[in-house]
C-alpha cells in the first residue's frame, strides 16, 4: 500500500466506481447460494442415466465473466449455464435433445415446479432474486474446437452454433496482471494477495477494470433506457464492444474514457467509409450481434445517442468535485448504489485509521497514508456532540 | 500545580506553524488563540475555511466558515455539533486540555469530521466512531 485513495483523484474515483460495481453484482452470500444450486443441479444431470450422463456443465455469459448487474425494478438476475454432451448432433433432432433435457429436469421433485420452457433453455425459476437458464447442447465438432457447441433453438427450428466458453476466454484474454491494476497500490495486503492465484469463484476484491467498466456501462444503459426498453442495446453488444475497444488501461476511469473515445473514432471512420457500424461475435465472426440495426436503424441511432450521453457525463466526472460529483454519479448509476458505495468507502477508511495507517498532509490538511515527513500522524477520536 | 505543565498558547501556535502550511493564527491579549485553516480533506472535496478559537484551559471551538454546511434531506440537524455554539464536536474528551497539542489532535480531527460529513450528507450515515449512532 503506497497511498490512501483519498490522496489521489484517479484512485478515489476508481474506488467509488469499484464499490458501485460491487453493489450491482451478486453479493457473496448470493454467490454461495448460486454455487450450491449449480452443484446440486450438476450432480443430478451428470449422474442421470440418459444422454446427459457425464455431461460437461459450466457457466456462461455475465456470470461466467464476472459482469453481472442487478436488474432494475425488482427483476431477477439471469444466470446462464451450459450442459454440453459429446454426441453427434447430426444424428439427433434439436427437439429431441431439448425435450429429453426438459423431461430430465421435470423428473426431479426438487426442480419440477421451477421449470419454465424458453426458446433455447430450460429456466429454473427460484423464489429468490435470480433464476438459472440452462441450455442443453452438443459439441459441434470435438476434433476442431471443443468449445463450439450446437444449441437447440425452438424459434429457428434448428440447431444453431454458439461458443460461450470461447467468448469468455476471449474476454479474459484482455485482462491485465493484478499488480498492474491502478487500485492495487491503494489497498492493504494486496502484495500478499497478488502472489497467490485468485480462486475461481471471483471474490469481490479487485476485479479487472474491464469487468467493472462493463458492469457500469450496463447499469448506465439500464437507467438511460428505463422509459425506452424496446431500443435498449443488449448486454452482449455492450460487452463485446468494450472488449474490442479495450487496450489494457489499468484504471476503471481510463478504461471508460478510452472506450468512449475509440467508439467515436470508429463511428466517424465508418461514416467516412459509408459502412454500417456492426458488432460481430469475436469467436464466431459470422454471427453479427447487431443484425437488428440493419432492420431497425432507429435502434442504432438510439445506441449512438446513448454513447454520446455517456461521453458527456464522463467528461464531467473529471471536473466536478464534492456534492456535484456525487449528484452526477447518482444520475448515472442510481442513488442507492452510490449511498452504499460511500458508506463502505467510509468504513474502509475508518479501518485504516483504526489500524494506525493514516495521517494528515501538512500542506492541505488532506487525509493521507501516514508518512513522517509529509504528514502529521492521525490520532483516535470519538465524535461527540449534543442535540 | 498542573496548570504549569500546560502548553502556552504561543507554544500551541508555534507547533501548528511548524507542522502545517494551511493553518495561520495569532494570540490575542495572551488569552485567546485564533486560528484559520484552509482544509481539503480529500482530492475531490471543496476547500473548507475553518476558524478555531481557543481559550487556555477551555475546550477549543471549531467553526466551518465556508462553504455552508448542508443537512441531509432526511435529517433535521447536522451531526456531531454543539448546538449552543455551532462548534464542531470532534472528541469525547480525547483532547486533554492539560497536556495535548492542537496540532496533533483537534486539527487532525477537523479533516476527518469534514470527510465523514461529506459522506453523511449523501447517505445520512455517520460511519466513523461517534456517540449517538442511532441519531446520526
Amino acid at each position: 500500500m503506497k497511498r490512501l485513495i483519498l490522496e489521489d483523484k484517479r484512485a478515489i474515483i476508481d474506488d467509488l466506481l469499484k464499490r458501485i460495481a460491487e453493489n450491482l453484482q451478486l453479493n457473496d452470500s448470493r454467490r454461495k447460494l448460486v454455487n450450491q444450486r449449480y452443484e446440486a443441479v450438476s450432480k443430478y444431470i451428470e449422474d442421470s442415466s440418459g444422454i446427459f450422463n457425464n455431461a460437461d456443465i459450466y457457466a456462461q455469459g455475465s456470470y461466467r465473466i464476472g459482469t453481472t448487474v442487478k436488474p432494475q425494478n425488482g427483476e431477477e438476475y439471469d444466470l446462464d449455464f451450459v450442459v454440453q454432451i459429446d454426441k453427434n448432433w447430426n444424428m439427433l433432432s434439436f427437439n429431441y435433445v431439448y425435450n429429453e433435457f426438459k423431461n430430465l429436469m421435470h423428473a426431479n421433485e426438487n426442480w419440477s415446479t421451477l421449470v419454465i420452457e424458453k426458446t433455447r433453455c430450460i429456466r429454473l425459476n427460484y423464489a429468490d432474486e435470480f433464476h438459472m437458464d440452462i441450455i442443453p447442447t452438443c459439441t459441434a465438432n470435438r476434433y476442431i474446437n471443443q468449445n463450439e457447441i450446437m444449441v437447440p433453438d425452438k424459434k429457428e427450428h434448428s440447431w444453431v452454433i454458439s461458443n460461450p466458453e470461447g467468448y469468455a476466454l476471449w474476454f479474459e484474454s484482455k485482462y491485465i496482471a493484478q499488480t498492474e491494476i491502478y487500485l492495487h497500490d491503494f489497498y492493504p495486503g494486496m502484495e500478499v494477495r497478488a502472489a497467490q492465484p485468485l480462486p475461481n469463484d471471483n471474490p469481490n476484491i479487485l476485479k479487472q477494470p474491464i469487468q467493472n467498466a462493463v458492469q457500469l456501462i450496463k447499469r448506465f444503459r439500464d437507467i438511460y433506457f428505463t422509459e425506452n426498453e424496446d431500443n435498449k442495446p443488449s448486454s452482449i453488444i455492450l460487452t463485446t464492444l468494450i472488449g474490442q475497444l479495450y487496450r489494457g488501461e489499468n484504471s476503471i476511469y481510463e478504461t471508460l474514457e478510452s472506450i468512449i473515445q475509440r467508439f467515436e473514432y470508429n463511428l466517424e471512420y465508418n461514416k467516412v467509409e459509408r459502412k454500417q457500424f456492426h458488432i460481430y461475435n469475436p469467436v464466431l465472426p459470422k454471427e453479427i450481434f447487431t443484425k437488428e440495426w440493419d432492420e431497425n436503424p432507429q435502434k442504432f441511432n438510439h445506441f449512438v445517442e446513448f454513447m454520446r450521453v455517456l461521453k458527456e457525463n464522463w467528461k464531467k466526472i473529471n471536473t466536478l468535485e464534492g456534492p456535484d460529483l456525487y449528484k452526477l454519479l447518482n444520475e448515472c448509476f442510481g442513488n442507492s448504489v452510490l449511498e452504499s458505495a460511500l458508506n463502505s468507502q467510509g468504513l474502509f477508511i475508518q479501518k485504516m485509521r483504526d489500524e494506525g495507517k493514516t495521517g494528515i498532509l501538512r500542506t492541505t490538511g488532506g487525509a493521507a497514508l501516514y508518512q513522517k515527513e509529509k504528514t502529521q500522524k492521525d490520532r483516535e477520536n470519538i465524535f461527540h456532540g449534543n442535540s | 500545580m498542573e496548570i504549569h505543565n500546560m502548553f502556552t498558547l504561543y507554544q500551541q501556535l508555534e507547533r501548528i506553524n511548524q507542522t502545517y502550511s494551511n493553518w495561520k493564527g495569532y494570540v490575542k491579549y495572551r488569552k485567546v488563540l485564533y486560528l484559520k485553516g484552509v482544509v481539503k480533506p480529500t482530492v475531490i472535496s471543496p476547500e473548507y475555511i475553518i476558524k478555531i478559537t481557543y481559550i487556555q484551559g477551555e475546550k477549543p471551538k471549531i467553526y466551518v466558515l465556508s462553504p455552508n454546511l448542508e443537512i441531509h434531506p432526511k435529517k433535521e440537524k447536522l451531526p456531531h455539533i454543539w448546538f449552543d455554539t455551532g462548534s464542531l464536536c470532534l472528541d469525547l474528551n480525547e483532547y486533554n486540555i492539560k497536556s495535548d497539542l492542537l496540532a496533533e489532535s483537534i486539527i487532525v480531527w477537523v479533516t476527518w469530521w469534514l470527510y465523514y460529513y461529506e459522506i453523511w450528507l449523501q447517505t445520512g450515515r455517520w460511519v466513523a466512531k461517534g456517540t449517538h449512532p442511532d441519531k446520526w
Side-chain angles (χ1 to χ4, degrees), chain A residues 202-362:
Chain A
N202 208 342
N204 304 329
I205 301 167
L206 243 199
K207 281 201 169 187
Q208 293 280 327
I210 184 176
Q211 290 175 300
N212 286 140
V214 168
Q215 290 177 301
L216 293 167
I217 292 183
K218 277 164 72 173
R219 175 60 165 202
F220 182 63
R221 169 208 57 186
D222 289 344
I223 289 177
Y224 180 87
F225 285 97
T226 302
E227 305 285 318
N228 186 12
E229 286 278 334
D230 291 345
N231 289 306
K232 187 162 125 174
S234 67
S235 293
I236 190 81
I237 289 179
L238 295 177
T239 308
T240 309
L241 179 75
I242 293 164
Q244 280 168 344
L245 299 177
Y246 179 66
R247 297 278 179 277
E249 285 78 13
N250 69 354
S251 70
I252 306 168
Y253 179 83
E254 274 167 323
T255 300
L256 279 153
E257 190 175 58
S258 310
I259 284 163
I260 292 164
Q261 266 175 17
R262 291 191 195 113
F263 173 75
E264 253 194 349
Y265 175 80
N266 277 286
L267 202 61
E268 280 306 306
Y269 178 80
N270 277 274
K271 232 185 236 169
V272 173
E273 298 278 307
R274 293 172 186 280
K275 282 197 298 198
Q276 169 62 40
F277 189 97
H278 270 303
I279 295 164
Y280 301 86
N281 185 341
V283 292
L284 282 173
K286 277 187 200 150
E287 188 181 356
I288 306 173
F289 289 140
T290 49
K291 229 185 322 187
E292 57 179 20
W293 289 352
D294 288 335
E295 298 143 19
N296 213 339
Q298 110 214 7
K299 281 199 172 187
F300 175 69
N301 296 336
H302 279 287
F303 181 70
V304 172
E305 176 62 10
F306 159 72
M307 289 299 287
R308 192 192 64 76
V309 174
L310 179 67
K311 179 190 163 186
E312 291 305 312
N313 283 314
W314 214 250
K315 271 201 304 206
K316 285 189 228 155
I317 284 186
N318 222 7
T319 51
L320 294 178
E321 56 182 30
D324 296 331
L325 174 66
Y326 296 139
K327 190 164 171 267
L328 180 67
L329 290 172
N330 263 334
E331 285 167 13
C332 291
F333 305 117
N335 194 17
S336 64
V337 286
L338 179 75
E339 270 187 26
S340 320
L342 277 170
N343 282 333
S344 91
Q345 186 195 72
L347 289 168
F348 165 73
I349 294 295
Q350 181 60 39
K351 193 159 171 282
M352 299 294 100
R353 291 194 67 200
D354 292 343
E355 290 171 6
K357 291 191 166 82
T358 46
I360 299 300
L361 291 172
R362 298 180 190 280

Side-chain angles (χ1 to χ4, degrees), chain A residues 4-10 12-13 16 320-323 325-327 330 335 338-340 342-351 353-354 358-368 375-387, chain B residues 18-22 38-47 70 72 77 80-84 89-92 94-96 100-101 103-105 107-109 111-113 115-116 118-119 121-123 125-132 135-136:
Chain A
L4 206 62
I5 48 167
L6 308 183
E7 295 175 69
D8 182 284
K9 186 150 186 188
R10 182 76 2 114
I12 193 170
I13 289 177
L16 269 179
L320 294 178
E321 56 182 30
L325 174 66
Y326 296 139
K327 190 164 171 267
N330 263 334
N335 194 17
L338 179 75
E339 270 187 26
S340 320
L342 277 170
N343 282 333
S344 91
Q345 186 195 72
L347 289 168
F348 165 73
I349 294 295
Q350 181 60 39
K351 193 159 171 282
R353 291 194 67 200
D354 292 343
T358 46
I360 299 300
L361 291 172
R362 298 180 190 280
T363 47
T364 62
T375 63
Q376 167 63 45
K377 193 160 177 44
D378 198 356
R379 213 175 108 174
E380 264 186 67
N381 70 319
I382 295 169
F383 292 99
H384 184 46
N386 60 5
S387 56
Chain B
Q18 284 167 355
T19 312
Y20 301 103
S21 59
N22 60 322
V38 181
V39 179
K40 193 173 163 69
T42 80
V43 281
I44 58 166
S45 302
E47 284 183 342
E70 291 173 50
H72 184 273
K77 289 171 179 172
H80 301 294
I81 294 266
W82 293 113
F83 285 98
D84 39 355
C89 188
L90 302 175
D91 70 310
L92 190 66
E94 286 84 24
Y95 177 72
N96 186 332
D100 274 341
L101 283 161
E104 293 176 358
S105 53
I107 286 184
V108 170
W109 299 334
T111 293
W112 292 115
W113 191 96
Y115 172 65
Y116 284 106
E118 288 182 351
I119 292 177
L121 182 57
Q122 300 301 318
T123 72
R125 248 185 90 189
W126 188 268
V127 289
K129 284 182 187 162
T131 54
H132 319 300
K135 206 176 286 172
W136 294 315

Side-chain angles (χ1 to χ4, degrees), chain A residues 119-142:
Chain A
T119 308
R120 289 181 168 198
C121 65
I122 292 294
R123 172 168 297 175
L124 295 184
N125 199 21
Y126 292 97
D128 30 37
E129 57 199 46
F130 61 85
H131 55 249
M132 282 166 77
D133 282 352
I134 312 175
I135 342 176
T137 72
C138 295
T139 310
N141 184 334
R142 65 190 160 120

Side-chain angles (χ1 to χ4, degrees), chain A residues 40-202:
Chain A
V41 172
S42 296
K43 191 167 181 332
Y44 170 66
I45 297 171
E46 284 165 15
D47 293 351
S48 65
S49 55
I51 55 169
F52 297 104
N53 176 258
N54 237 342
D56 238 355
I57 300 154
Y58 52 91
Q60 67 150 325
S62 62
Y63 187 61
R64 166 69 177 82
I65 61 173
T67 58
T68 52
V69 168
K70 189 185 287 174
Q72 296 254 88
N73 318 322
E75 288 164 51
E76 297 174 339
Y77 284 97
D78 184 11
L79 308 173
D80 300 313
F81 293 87
V82 174
V83 172
Q84 182 177 348
I85 53 173
D86 263 355
K87 295 270 186 303
N88 187 348
W89 57 276
N90 280 306
M91 308 293 283
L92 300 167
S93 92
F94 78 94
N95 246 336
Y96 169 75
V97 172
Y98 184 92
N99 288 330
E100 279 293 292
F101 187 64
K102 184 180 74 183
N103 296 338
L104 177 65
M105 298 314 286
H106 266 302
N108 184 300
E109 57 185 22
N110 290 332
W111 302 299
S112 58
T113 55
L114 308 177
V115 169
I116 298 175
E117 284 186 57
K118 307 292 279 184
T119 308
R120 289 181 168 198
C121 65
I122 292 294
R123 172 168 297 175
L124 295 184
N125 199 21
Y126 292 97
D128 30 37
E129 57 199 46
F130 61 85
H131 55 249
M132 282 166 77
D133 282 352
I134 312 175
I135 342 176
T137 72
C138 295
T139 310
N141 184 334
R142 65 190 160 120
Y143 301 108
I144 296 175
N145 183 345
Q146 184 65 32
N147 291 330
E148 281 188 4
I149 52 177
M150 300 308 289
V151 177
D153 191 313
K154 293 200 290 182
K155 214 158 131 199
E156 300 279 327
H157 248 279
S158 70
W159 290 106
V160 293
I161 191 161
S162 185
N163 188 354
E165 181 59 15
Y167 184 91
L169 295 171
W170 167 79
F171 189 80
E172 284 178 351
S173 72
K174 312 284 172 188
Y175 289 4
I176 57 175
Q178 277 275 309
T179 47
E180 275 178 46
I181 298 175
Y182 194 77
L183 282 175
H184 184 270
D185 291 342
F186 292 86
Y187 296 133
M190 287 311 289
E191 300 80 1
V192 184
R193 215 171 285 140
Q196 298 161 341
L198 281 171
N200 285 333
D201 63 346
N202 208 342

